[in-house]
Amino acid sequence: SIPDEILYNCIMDACLRFNQGLTLLYLYKEMLDNNISPSSVTCGIVIKGYGIKGDVDLALKVYQRMKINKIEISSVTYGCLINVCIKNNRLEKAFELYESLTKEGIEMNTILYTTLIKAYSKKRNLNKVIEMLNIMIKSEKAKPNIITYNTVIDCCLKCNNYDLAYKYYYYLIGNNNINNISTNNDKNEALIIRPDIVTFNSLIKGEIHNGCFDKAKILMHKMLECDYIKPDSDLLNTLLDGCEKCKSYNDALTILDLFRKKNVSGNMMTYSILLKILGILGDFENSQKIFDEIKSNKNIAMNLIIITCFIKTCFSTNHLKEAIDTFNSLKKYKIKPDAISYVTMINGIINNSSLSDKSEYATEIINLIKKSACDGIILYDNIYIKVLKYLKKIDNYIFENLVKYLRI
């Protein structure tokens, strides 16, 4: 038997949730081929599907067909369309749709206003963002929620109006909007608007962008005090990246420890940033601990970025043997080295090998050059020149063999 409209809607909605836009659109075509009339719900799902595909024009065609076939166009439909336009940078079309729904007398709600605020935020039109927010604050049926405030704060930061961003942050953190509300009333509890992890992440990124890492740390500590917020790896990575950008290297391990106490272990990006920072600090001991931790972590797949970061730390702390052993371990992890990893190895050996062991490491360099050629990787010309100058000083026989190999 042929599925009905309700079943198609259920399956297409599942496709939407699992980001299977093409399958969704195939099912929509099949539905039309079976002469099943789409409803307003169907059209909303399909519009979102075209949004995933990045095809705003086809999403708008669905909207036009709805008009022709007199299918109900609700605030939800307009919300879907405006969101698709915003995500695909068709902002002027988003504003046109807003004008259309206003003319049609469709009642605005929190989602629609917030979606529009996102559009104005993308245009960095702070005046319009604040205008929309004030309309919502005065409204009885379309009050701002935390997503609204986060969008407003983000726009303030983009427009370099930090004072205004903090005005809304202090409003949220000060609980000015929950005076006289009983904490025992579940219904009233739902009205509480408090800063969430997105709020803190935006403000912390803003302070890091301004080079104010001390302010970023104050925000971090305030966030960690909020029992209802669960920190995540993204925020941890933002802060560690801030340690590097603001040259606050010594804060990295302290921040890591604070987040681990909150059961945030981090991910591949976390480890990569940490290894870079520890390399800058010349902290081989902690770099080794982090690298060993990665090797024993079943949830983190060893990759070339992490290995190259650790190799750089080995070289910067004069641990040549560990650097070479780590590079050779690539085969164990079935990872193919790239030009950057080969150049890192060659530069590291040239810059760090002492006079007494130069001949031994000269052979290592030759092997690296030959292996890179076997892997089909072409190194930069200046690397070959640097190697030849290095070899000419210490071993004429190896130098001449390399010249013949390179056919110079």
Side-chain angles (χ1 to χ4, degrees), residues 144-155:
N145 58 23
I146 188 57
I147 298 171
T148 315
Y149 278 108
N150 284 341
T151 308
V152 171
I153 287 170
D154 186 57
C155 184

Side-chain angles (χ1 to χ4, degrees), residues 193-368:
I193 305 174
R194 301 178 292 191
D196 62 7
I197 193 163
V198 177
T199 319
F200 284 103
N201 210 340
S202 295
L203 288 163
I204 287 169
K205 280 182 179 178
E207 295 299 358
I208 289 169
H209 177 74
N210 272 354
C212 302
F213 198 68
D214 285 341
K215 289 184 179 179
K217 286 194 292 182
I218 290 168
L219 286 162
M220 175 195 71
H221 286 295
K222 185 66 181 176
M223 183 272 300
L224 292 173
E225 288 172 10
C226 299
D227 293 335
Y228 64 91
I229 295 179
K230 181 172 172 46
D232 60 17
S233 296
D234 288 341
L235 183 55
L236 171 58
N237 294 343
T238 296
L239 284 157
L240 292 176
D241 193 46
C243 290
E244 186 187 358
K245 287 178 178 173
C246 300
K247 295 183 169 55
S248 294
Y249 308 122
N250 291 314
D251 288 317
L253 289 176
T254 304
I255 289 169
L256 178 68
D257 186 53
L258 285 170
F259 273 72
R260 285 188 168 174
K261 285 176 181 175
K262 292 283 185 178
N263 297 316
V264 180
S265 56
N267 52 29
M268 184 271 286
M269 182 65 71
T270 313
Y271 288 118
S272 299
I273 301 169
L274 271 172
L275 286 171
K276 281 171 72 177
I277 290 171
L278 292 170
I280 292 167
L281 289 172
D283 188 342
F284 178 76
E285 185 181 347
N286 277 311
S287 291
Q288 183 75 69
K289 284 179 183 176
I290 293 291
F291 191 65
D292 289 341
E293 189 178 308
I294 299 166
K295 288 192 281 186
S296 61
N297 191 332
K298 294 179 181 178
N299 297 317
I300 303 287
M302 186 64 76
N303 61 48
L304 188 57
I305 294 171
I306 287 173
I307 288 177
T308 305
C309 283
F310 182 63
I311 287 171
K312 286 179 179 178
T313 303
C314 291
F315 282 130
S316 68
T317 54
N318 294 315
H319 288 79
L320 269 72
K321 184 180 182 304
E322 287 82 354
I324 292 167
D325 289 345
T326 302
F327 182 82
N328 291 334
S329 74
L330 285 169
K331 191 174 182 180
K332 169 188 169 184
Y333 295 108
K334 297 179 181 177
I335 298 171
K336 187 177 179 180
D338 61 5
I340 293 171
S341 52
Y342 276 115
V343 169
T344 299
M345 286 297 298
I346 292 168
N347 274 330
I349 292 171
I350 289 174
N351 296 333
N352 289 274
S353 53
S354 62
L355 290 171
S356 60
D357 55 21
K358 279 190 182 293
S359 292
E360 176 191 345
Y361 288 116
T363 305
E364 191 69 44
I365 291 172
I366 296 298
N367 290 337
L368 285 166

Side-chain angles (χ1 to χ4, degrees), residues 67-81:
K67 283 186 170 182
I68 294 166
N69 297 325
K70 296 183 178 178
I71 298 170
E72 180 195 1
I73 301 175
S74 65
S75 59
V76 175
T77 314
Y78 273 111
C80 293
L81 269 170

